[in-house]
Amino acid sequence: MKTIQAVARYLPEKCGGIQIRLSELLPLLQTYGVESKIAAAQDSKCENTYVHNGIEVYRYPVFPTPKAEPNHGESPHGRFEFFAHWLKEQKADIYHQHQWTPKCGLSHLRLAKELGMATIVSIRLPTPVCQRETLMLNGQEVCDGKIDEVRCSRCCGVPKSLSDVAIRNLANTPLFISNLASGLIHQLDKVPVQVNTNVTGLLTPLSMPAYVAARRNGLLEMAKFADRIVTLSERLYETLLLNGVPQEKLLICKTGVPDFFLASTQNKEQESNNTLKVVFLGRWNRNKGIHIIVEAIKSLPTTLPIELTIHGSAVDEEKYRQEILKSIENEPRIHVAQTLTRDELPTVLAKYDVLALPAQWFDVRPMAVLEAHALGLPVLGSDVGGVNELIKHNVDGLLLPPSNIPAWAEALSLLAINIDFLSKLREGIQPIRTMSVEAADTVAIYQNLLPSTK
């Protein structure tokens, strides 16, 4: 069985969880006789091929860099013909696309379908359904994810003074006009705030409703050309149904923890000073909620035995990172440590007592929760979709209001004072799904799509 695994970028370039976990999964698929090649975009005029971790990687050129909206790509990006030529030569059985962006989106999926491959799209982020990309209504509360021009446009800044009828009419704005309006909005970021606010209020209705409509249409086009759409979460499965994706095309295949994490499990003993050691893992991004856990720690009495270590990874928002660093200058209980490699992660993570995951968005299936549980760490997590599917409140962790700093402070104080409760949460952690099981389930999906293996 020959598969193409398509992503918007790939290792050894700096990548996120999608690419890292794919690189760990593909060798396991090989043991089932599944041959894979990676097709990954790169911002270049040229193509190139190399081998990474035993897998051939084809980097197809994307030039010039396409606009971010519509998020799935309004049309084929520049130099798409390189990808098209390469894909035609592969004669693959299955095309599996792991991202939904202008660099790896509808045009790529449609071509694979036209070439007669069985097609799969894995949805690992809320991007295909949410214009804010967070599934948080108005940035404050959990949203059901139903794409609606009026509600989504207002959530993204279209003034309340504009009528529902006007917004629905503006959803028909040609995309080239929406792109022009969006470009002007970005340029206005450099002008005084008052001018920016006034003009942006006029331009946003020209861009946002049409982008929302394009997002919904793109999702339905995905459902048209994908034989299967795989997601990692029950909640996102329901959201896709709500938006008209046929149920017979939907599957849930949850990610698992690599076996080397399980081999690193060890019993930890509380240090003699009984200091609660809290760890945060993740990107420097406001949606990750680092500021929530920082402010919660700072609000606690200095006599409370607690420490927070931030192992930040990629820097999405440098300004945000600097804000955090400034806020902890005089806070000896909070430390910023180096980014951990995958090899280092199990050993270092096992030294802590609890993982904090103050997500401010719909984190579809945060692997940090599974990795922490695999090493015996309870998790304090935001009570939002994805996170609350992995944490059992008061059993193996605590679920907390995402942005309620006093609630986070209270939970941290409880764990720092009540060692017995922390031990109870440790004991409540159940066996973790492994990547080996994920690999077997993935192969079953592939086999069910190929007539000769049914």
Side-chain angles (χ1 to χ4, degrees):
M1 186 191 304
K2 185 175 182 179
T3 74
I4 302 300
Q5 310 284 337
V7 285
R9 53 183 172 152
Y10 201 65
L11 304 164
E13 180 182 342
K14 192 172 237 183
C15 291
I18 292 174
Q19 291 82 4
I20 291 170
R21 283 162 184 89
L22 186 60
S23 73
E24 294 171 344
L25 178 66
L26 294 185
L28 296 178
L29 297 184
Q30 285 181 321
T31 65
Y32 289 90
V34 176
E35 176 190 347
S36 298
K37 289 185 179 181
I38 296 287
Q42 63 180 359
D43 293 323
S44 170
K45 296 181 180 180
C46 304
E47 61 185 347
N48 67 295
T49 302
Y50 56 87
V51 174
H52 182 83
N53 197 23
I55 304 295
E56 182 178 313
V57 181
Y58 169 68
R59 302 300 297 268
Y60 57 88
V62 176
F63 184 84
T65 301
K67 295 183 181 298
E69 291 290 350
N71 73 302
H72 62 277
E74 178 185 359
S75 57
H77 56 71
R79 309 223 162 186
F80 181 81
E81 64 273 11
F82 284 82
F83 171 83
H85 176 74
W86 179 85
L87 190 63
K88 289 174 185 176
E89 289 187 329
Q90 299 311 304
K91 311 295 183 187
D93 302 299
I94 289 176
Y95 173 84
H96 191 164
Q97 186 167 308
H98 299 269
Q99 294 186 267
W100 194 242
T101 77
K103 298 179 184 179
C104 181
L106 179 60
S107 299
H108 308 78
L109 175 64
R110 183 192 294 118
L111 175 62
K113 186 65 177 176
E114 290 172 352
L115 293 174
M117 300 177 194
T119 52
I120 303 172
V121 176
S122 284
I123 299 183
R124 303 173 181 273
L125 297 169
T127 308
V129 296
C130 178
Q131 192 66 33
R132 292 179 74 106
E133 301 186 1
T134 63
L135 275 183
M136 298 292 285
L137 186 61
N138 301 316
Q140 300 295 322
E141 59 184 283
V142 175
C143 180
D144 63 10
K146 172 70 173 176
I147 302 174
D148 177 83
E149 290 94 340
V150 174
R151 183 176 68 160
C152 296
S153 294
R154 294 199 193 286
C155 181
C156 292
V158 171
K160 294 182 179 179
S161 58
L162 202 64
S163 71
D164 292 2
V165 172
I167 291 175
R168 295 198 186 281
N169 287 334
L170 285 166
N172 298 315
T173 301
L175 284 172
F176 79 90
I177 294 178
S178 297
N179 287 335
L180 287 173
S182 178
L184 289 172
I185 290 172
H186 287 305
Q187 292 180 26
L188 286 169
D189 288 340
K190 304 173 184 178
V191 304
V193 174
Q194 186 60 45
V195 176
N196 186 332
T197 301
N198 292 338
V199 181
T200 297
L202 296 174
L203 291 173
T204 301
L206 287 177
S207 62
M208 200 54 62
Y211 285 160
V212 172
R215 191 169 299 260
R216 180 185 56 209
N217 293 339
L219 180 64
L220 296 178
E221 286 290 288
M222 178 202 294
K224 176 181 175 182
F225 291 106
D227 295 316
R228 295 291 183 273
I229 295 176
V230 179
T231 188
L232 319 179
S233 135
E234 286 90 353
R235 164 72 197 292
L236 192 53
Y237 180 98
E238 295 298 327
T239 296
L240 294 171
L241 282 177
L242 191 63
N243 283 296
V245 176
Q247 187 168 14
E248 62 270 18
K249 290 199 171 188
L250 283 172
L251 290 170
I252 296 177
C253 183
K254 297 178 179 179
T255 48
V257 173
D259 292 342
F260 70 84
F261 265 87
L262 302 180
S264 301
T265 303
Q266 55 183 285
N267 295 321
K268 304 183 302 302
E269 294 183 3
Q270 195 84 357
E271 289 186 356
S272 57
N273 62 7
N274 290 330
T275 299
L276 180 73
K277 294 174 292 183
V278 185
V279 63
F280 170 88
L281 300 172
R283 302 192 310 275
W284 291 95
N285 184 303
R286 187 170 294 275
N287 287 333
K288 294 293 185 178
I290 305 174
H291 58 290
I292 300 296
I293 193 70
V294 163
E295 292 304 316
I297 295 283
K298 289 169 62 178
S299 72
L300 294 172
T302 56
T303 54
L304 196 71
I306 188 169
E307 291 180 354
L308 168 66
T309 301
I310 301 170
H311 285 282
S313 54
V315 180
D316 294 346
E317 302 173 20
E318 178 58 28
K319 181 179 178 182
Y320 177 65
R321 188 178 78 92
Q322 292 299 328
E323 288 174 1
I324 297 294
L325 294 178
K326 184 173 180 58
S327 74
I328 63 175
E329 283 180 350
N330 300 312
E331 179 50 80
R333 296 173 295 179
I334 303 177
H335 316 282
V336 175
Q338 79 282 0
T339 300
L340 299 174
T341 67
R342 291 294 285 167
D343 291 337
E344 294 171 331
L345 184 54
T347 302
V348 175
L349 186 57
K351 295 177 181 178
Y352 295 98
D353 298 309
V354 62
L355 173 80
L357 189 74
Q360 304 297 295
W361 68 308
F362 183 96
D363 201 343
V364 177
R365 187 170 170 84
M367 287 300 297
V369 176
L370 297 179
E371 292 164 353
H373 279 171
L375 297 168
L377 276 69
V379 181
L380 299 183
S382 295
D383 191 5
V384 295
V387 180
N388 57 21
E389 292 181 24
L390 296 177
I391 300 172
K392 296 183 180 67
H393 185 62
N394 278 333
V395 176
D396 55 20
L398 297 175
L399 290 168
L400 304 166
S403 57
N404 188 327
I405 293 172
W408 282 84
E410 182 180 354
L412 290 165
S413 179
L414 172 63
L415 292 176
I417 295 171
N418 193 335
I419 296 176
D420 290 339
F421 182 57
L422 179 61
S423 297
K424 175 194 168 188
L425 295 181
R426 285 196 190 112
E427 293 168 0
I429 297 172
Q430 297 299 306
I432 305 301
R433 177 177 169 88
T434 67
M435 188 171 280
S436 295
V437 175
E438 178 190 354
D441 290 346
T442 301
V443 172
I445 292 172
Y446 291 169
Q447 290 174 337
N448 286 334
L449 281 177
L450 299 180
S452 60
T453 62
K454 289 182 180 178

